[in-house]
């Protein structure tokens, strides 16, 4: 099932995310995904997240799909040139994977193979363009595909709280022109900034799913403020995490903050994308508390 | 040091605005600089030119600065500065003339081998398809750690690249520059895909 069918039906769409392991045994990841079956509409599978080499996203998507869960195949441009990307995307179609999230990808120097060659033959925009060409029956070099062309629902990312915002909006515009069908955003902690962003973004009519990362600790919030692009956790949330150490440690503060953010962001967007970073077991409670399930 | 080739007449004529100030850098003409083709282009292109100057090594910031001071009024009376040089020359001129639209008249071609010592602040990877006219004279291939062609990734924090806090985000520099010369619409232009055949 393509996510665009849900957006078109007017549903407020929910997605979560799992990251495959650094090893061949995928059972834990599958279990994490299964625990959210029927709670969210689809589950993203990350692609060598943070440039750390792991079990492949495509194979994990296939195994999750086998369990009756809708996967969103994340594809970055860091590790593959245009031949390998197109080949994997055709393979995804052959495995019945219908939703994709296309990203440029973190630089190799951020991960665990710092001496690797950073590929970036294509970028997020030219990759969207490439998939639209595959959908029209030809590859990027205009060679005709055999048989029926693949059909996908193509997603991309945007960073609504980035400063300056203008270059992000322009890149977003390029992605829309290239044919993107939905957006998932970087984690949002500032509803006012998100509302301002949506004011500018809503004219395109492309559905936007606001990104939620559960705050696990004060240290995590501070680390993200220092190091993670496009994320700013405001002081009042950091104070809230500091107030009751036990409650924060148990995850309850993070759950309450995430649920509150979802309630506040809902009027401005068409869905929520949760990035639990291992706290998948907290997702049902967050969604219940925010009134979405 | 470098080998350059004149861009196509059609490509140049779509972006040049009149009147233009023309700089031909002949510093490397012993190697390969398309002097005859450039003169032919300027003769037949019917562009109003405020001045055409031939000079040496504009990749040297001191030379470029002297030149920009000497021709201050001609430059200020021009809508475009067309630079026929390698990518480094175009970048060194556009860094000096922040408020001017600088057009790259040539593509710098890849050549094998050691090309002589010429250390400069700017870099040119001789990609054979110069993007500088589109990007405010800041090279996306060398200024962006991922050599992205279609705009900023989501990795910059406080204007710095995700690769190093010492490195400015190339695309944020490009954005600021295009804002200054009122050309930000170029950031929503055609989708670009690199042609690696040009490196062979």
């Amino acid at each position: 099932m393509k996510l665009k069918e849900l957006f078109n039906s007017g549903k407020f769409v929910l997605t979560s995310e799992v990251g495959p392991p650094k090893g061949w045994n995928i059972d834990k990841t599958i279990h994490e995904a299964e625990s959210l079956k029927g709670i969210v509409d689809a589950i993203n599978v990350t692609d060598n997240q943070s440039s750390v080499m792991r079990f492949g996203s495509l194979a994990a998507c296939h195994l999750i799909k086998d369990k009756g869960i809708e996967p969103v195949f994340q594809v970055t441009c860091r590790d593959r040139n245009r031949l390998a990307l197109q080949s994997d995307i055709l393979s995804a179609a052959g495995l019945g994977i219908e939703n994709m999230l296309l990203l440029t990808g973190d630089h190799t120097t951020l991960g665990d193979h710092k001496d690797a060659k950073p590929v970036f033959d294509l970028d997020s925009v030219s990759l969207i363009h490439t998939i639209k060409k595959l959908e029209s029956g030809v590859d990027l070099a205009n060679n005709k595909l055999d048989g029926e062309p693949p059909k996908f629902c193509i997603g991309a990312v945007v960073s609504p709280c980035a400063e300056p915002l203008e270059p992000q909006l322009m890149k977003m515009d390029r992605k829309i022109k290239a044919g993107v069908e939905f957006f998932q955003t970087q984690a949002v902690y500032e509803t006012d900034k998100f509302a301002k962003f949506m004011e500018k973004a809503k004219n395109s009519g492309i559905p936007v799913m606001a990104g939620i990362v559960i705050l696990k600790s004060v240290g995590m919030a501070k680390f993200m403020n220092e190091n993670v692009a496009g994320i700013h956790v405001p002081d009042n949330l950091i104070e809230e995490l500091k107030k009751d150490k036990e409650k924060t440690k148990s995850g309850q503060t993070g759950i309450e903050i995430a649920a509150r953010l979802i309630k506040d962001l809902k009027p401005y967007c068409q869905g929520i994308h949760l990035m639990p970073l291992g706290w998948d077991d907290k997702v049902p409670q967050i969604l219940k508390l925010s009134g979405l399930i | 040091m470098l080998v350059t080739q004149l861009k196509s007449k059609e490509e140049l004529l779509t972006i040049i605005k009149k009147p233009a100030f023309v700089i031909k850098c002949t510093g490397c003409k012993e190697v390969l600089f398309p002097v005859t083709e450039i003169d032919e282009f300027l003769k037949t292109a019917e562009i109003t030119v405020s001045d055409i100057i031939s000079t040496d090594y504009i990749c040297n910031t001191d030379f470029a600065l002297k030149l920009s001071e000497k021709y201050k009024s001609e430059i200020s009376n021009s809508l475009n500065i067309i630079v026929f040089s390698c990518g480094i020359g175009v970048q060194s001129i556009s860094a000096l003339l922040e408020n001017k639209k600088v057009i790259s008249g040539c593509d710098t071609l890849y050549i094998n081998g050691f090309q002589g010592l010429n250390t400069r602040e700017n870099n040119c990877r001789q990609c054979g398809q110069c993007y500088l006219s589109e990007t405010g004279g800041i090279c996306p291939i060398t200024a962006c750690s991922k050599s992205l062609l279609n705009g900023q990734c989501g990795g910059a924090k406080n204007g710095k690249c995700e690769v190093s806090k010492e490195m400015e985000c190339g695309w944020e520099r490009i954005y600021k520059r295009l804002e200054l010369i009122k050309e930000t619409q170029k950031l929503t232009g055609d989708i670009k895909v690199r042609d690696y055949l040009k490196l062979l």
Side-chain angles (χ1 to χ4, degrees):
Chain A
M1 176 216 36
K2 295 182 178 70
L3 288 185
K4 64 182 161 195
E5 291 163 20
L6 296 179
F7 289 118
N8 289 343
S9 73
K11 188 177 185 311
F12 192 77
V13 179
L14 301 175
T15 51
S16 187
E17 186 171 296
V18 293
K22 196 172 183 69
W24 65 270
N25 192 322
I26 189 82
D27 291 352
K28 190 170 168 276
T29 310
I30 303 277
H31 178 74
E32 280 172 7
E34 274 189 304
S35 73
L36 297 176
K37 190 176 174 178
I39 294 171
V40 295
D41 298 299
I43 294 186
N44 287 37
V45 183
T46 54
D47 174 18
N48 288 338
Q49 192 177 10
S50 308
S51 309
V52 172
M53 191 284 296
R54 294 160 189 273
F55 189 102
S57 174
L58 178 56
C61 283
H62 172 56
L63 294 168
I64 285 173
K65 178 107 187 163
D66 270 356
K67 299 282 181 189
I69 302 152
E70 202 55 52
V72 178
F73 176 31
Q74 290 199 185
V75 186
T76 74
C77 300
R78 176 191 53 243
D79 309 319
R80 285 162 287 189
N81 72 1
R82 61 192 82 177
L83 274 85
L85 286 166
Q86 291 179 97
S87 173
D88 276 1
I89 284 156
L90 289 179
S91 306
L95 294 168
I97 292 157
E98 296 181 279
N99 301 296
M100 281 188 294
L101 187 80
L102 311 174
L103 312 98
T104 297
D106 291 331
H107 199 275
T108 44
T109 54
L110 272 64
D112 69 349
H113 286 64
K114 294 186 195 301
D115 48 356
K117 181 180 184 183
V119 180
F120 303 112
D121 179 21
L122 300 180
D123 57 30
S124 53
V125 175
S126 48
L127 182 57
I128 297 166
H129 167 71
T130 303
I131 293 170
K132 292 313 275 187
K133 291 200 77 159
L134 293 175
E135 288 186 337
S136 76
V138 293
D139 65 16
L140 187 59
N142 290 321
N143 304 299
K144 205 171 173 307
L145 301 181
D146 296 331
E148 200 186 323
K151 289 281 174 249
F152 295 105
C153 177
I154 305 170
V157 295
V158 65
S159 208
C161 302
E163 282 177 5
L165 182 61
E166 283 299 318
Q168 281 292 315
L169 287 170
M170 288 177 159
K171 181 95 178 231
M172 188 184 187
D173 192 51
R174 264 191 165 150
K175 289 177 181 180
I176 292 167
K177 279 184 187 159
V180 76
E181 291 160 295
F182 70 94
F183 284 101
Q184 290 178 334
T185 80
Q186 176 62 291
V188 179
Y189 295 99
E190 297 157 296
T191 314
D192 52 339
K193 268 194 194 169
F194 185 78
K196 276 183 198 150
F197 159 79
M198 283 307 296
E199 199 52 48
K200 291 177 180 167
K202 71 180 178 194
N203 290 339
S204 71
I206 305 291
V208 174
M209 305 178 74
I212 298 285
V213 168
I214 312 167
L215 290 170
K216 295 180 179 179
S217 65
V218 174
M220 177 197 183
K222 285 185 175 168
F223 177 84
M224 290 198 298
N225 280 351
E226 279 289 307
N227 299 294
V228 183
I231 293 190
H232 179 246
V233 185
D235 290 344
N236 64 317
L237 294 184
I238 293 179
E239 287 308 314
E240 192 175 337
L241 288 163
K242 274 183 187 167
K243 215 164 39 187
D244 187 336
K245 279 184 184 149
E246 281 310 307
K247 195 176 155 194
T248 297
K249 209 176 160 191
S250 71
Q252 193 53 35
T253 317
I255 289 170
E256 286 172 14
I257 291 173
R260 205 167 62 228
L261 280 168
I262 292 173
K263 270 189 192 167
D264 291 346
L265 293 168
K266 191 173 180 273
Y268 303 104
C269 56
Q270 290 71 44
I272 294 288
H273 175 59
L274 287 143
M275 293 167 269
L277 308 175
W279 277 17
D280 306 81
D281 57 329
K282 313 275 191 275
V283 170
Q285 213 184 327
I286 292 171
L287 294 176
K288 257 179 229 153
L289 205 58
S290 61
L292 287 177
I293 57 170
Chain B
M1 188 189 85
L2 293 156
V3 173
T4 46
Q5 175 183 291
L6 182 68
K7 278 189 179 283
S8 80
K9 190 176 170 182
E10 295 70 35
E11 182 182 347
L12 287 175
L13 288 180
T14 54
I15 50 176
I16 291 173
K17 292 192 181 75
K18 307 166 192 181
F21 180 75
V22 176
I23 300 171
K24 290 188 281 182
C25 177
T26 51
C28 297
K29 74 173 179 195
E30 304 80 10
V31 185
L32 210 159
F33 183 67
V35 189
T36 324
E37 291 89 336
I38 292 167
D39 290 344
E40 185 67 24
F41 167 75
L42 291 171
K43 218 184 285 170
T44 59
E46 294 175 353
I47 45 171
T48 320
V49 171
S50 56
D51 211 338
I52 303 177
I53 57 144
S54 286
T55 182
D56 270 0
Y57 298 107
I58 51 168
C59 53
N60 181 319
T61 316
D62 291 338
F63 289 179
L65 185 64
K66 275 187 191 142
L67 182 134
S68 67
E69 281 166 1
K70 188 175 170 192
Y71 292 95
K72 209 173 175 176
S73 67
E74 287 87 345
I75 287 170
S76 81
N77 291 331
S78 306
L79 283 174
N80 282 163
I81 315 297
I82 312 173
V83 182
F84 295 101
S85 77
C86 70
I88 299 182
V90 182
Q91 289 175 78
S92 98
I93 291 292
S94 68
L96 283 172
L97 307 175
E98 280 210 314
N99 296 307
K100 283 286 166 188
K101 294 173 186 177
V102 176
I103 288 170
S104 172
C106 295
D107 289 320
T108 308
L109 306 185
Y110 185 77
I111 48 169
N112 284 330
F114 183 60
Q115 296 145 41
L117 188 66
N118 189 351
T119 50
R120 300 288 185 236
E121 278 176 23
N122 294 308
N123 199 2
C124 171
R125 234 167 260 162
Q126 307 158 49
C127 71
Q129 46 191 144
C130 192
Y131 296 100
L132 289 165
S133 312
E134 294 282 308
T135 54
I138 295 163
C139 174
I141 308 270
T142 58
C144 168
S145 63
K146 300 174 186 173
S147 297
L148 301 180
L149 297 181
N150 293 299
Q152 190 184 35
C153 75
K157 180 106 180 165
N158 303 322
K160 304 294 180 193
C161 174
E162 68 185 24
V163 166
S164 161
K165 284 181 183 168
E166 307 297 312
M167 184 180 173
E168 278 186 79
C169 167
W171 273 101
E172 218 158 295
R173 286 176 58 207
I174 291 171
Y175 170 73
K176 282 181 188 156
R177 184 68 203 280
L178 289 176
E179 201 176 30
L180 205 62
I181 57 173
K182 299 187 171 48
E183 286 200 328
T184 50
Q185 84 282 356
K186 286 189 168 165
L187 289 174
T188 55
D190 293 341
I191 295 160
K192 292 182 177 59
V193 179
R194 183 108 174 250
D195 178 0
Y196 281 91
L197 257 182
K198 296 211 155 109
L199 287 185
L200 291 179

